Amino acid sequence: MLAIKIDNPEIENRFKEYAKSQKKALEDVASEAMKLFLDMHKKDDKLVYTKKNPKKYIRKIEYTYDEELCDDVALTHIENSAKYVHDLRRQKKYE
């Protein structure tokens, strides 16, 4: 047996009105509410999501540079930015 004390009169009245509208005893409504609350907060619930294939959404970004707005040294000579940065980091590391 479990006794529940509701100190908030507004919640108590709403509970009574709901029980009356469902034609159930107040104890039954409280019991159902507790079961529902406990079922919602199970710890073994796992998130369900689908994994997306990154290869499907990958695309190469190519920009065209306006020669008038771009300096000659503005990194336009770099074809593979990942390799360029990798080589720069290695170069600074060993100097």
Side-chain angles (χ1 to χ4, degrees):
M1 170 157 234
L2 176 67
I4 299 174
K5 181 180 177 184
I6 301 174
D7 288 333
N8 187 332
E10 181 185 341
I11 293 175
E12 182 181 0
N13 289 334
R14 288 178 66 192
F15 235 91
K16 286 178 182 177
E17 289 172 11
Y18 182 78
K20 193 182 288 185
S21 71
Q22 296 294 315
K23 299 180 182 173
K24 294 182 180 179
L26 195 56
E27 295 82 13
D28 295 335
V29 174
S31 176
E32 290 174 9
M34 292 298 290
K35 285 179 188 175
L36 180 64
F37 176 79
L38 293 173
D39 286 343
M40 286 176 52
H41 291 85
K42 285 184 180 177
K43 291 186 179 182
D44 60 347
D45 287 347
K46 295 182 180 178
L47 293 175
V48 178
Y49 59 92
T50 57
K51 292 185 180 180
K52 300 222 177 201
N53 182 3
K55 291 181 181 178
K56 182 178 176 184
Y57 298 100
I58 197 168
R59 61 185 171 86
K60 185 176 180 181
I61 300 172
E62 293 186 24
Y63 292 106
T64 56
Y65 295 100
D66 186 5
E67 293 295 328
E68 294 176 11
L69 300 175
C70 190
D71 294 338
D72 291 336
V73 189
L75 307 178
T76 55
H77 64 283
I78 299 171
E79 292 179 15
N80 184 348
S81 60
K83 183 180 181 320
Y84 178 77
V85 171
H86 178 74
D87 292 343
L88 267 181
R89 288 184 178 158
R90 295 244 179 212
Q91 183 180 12
K92 289 182 180 183
K93 191 177 199 179
Y94 295 115
E95 286 182 355

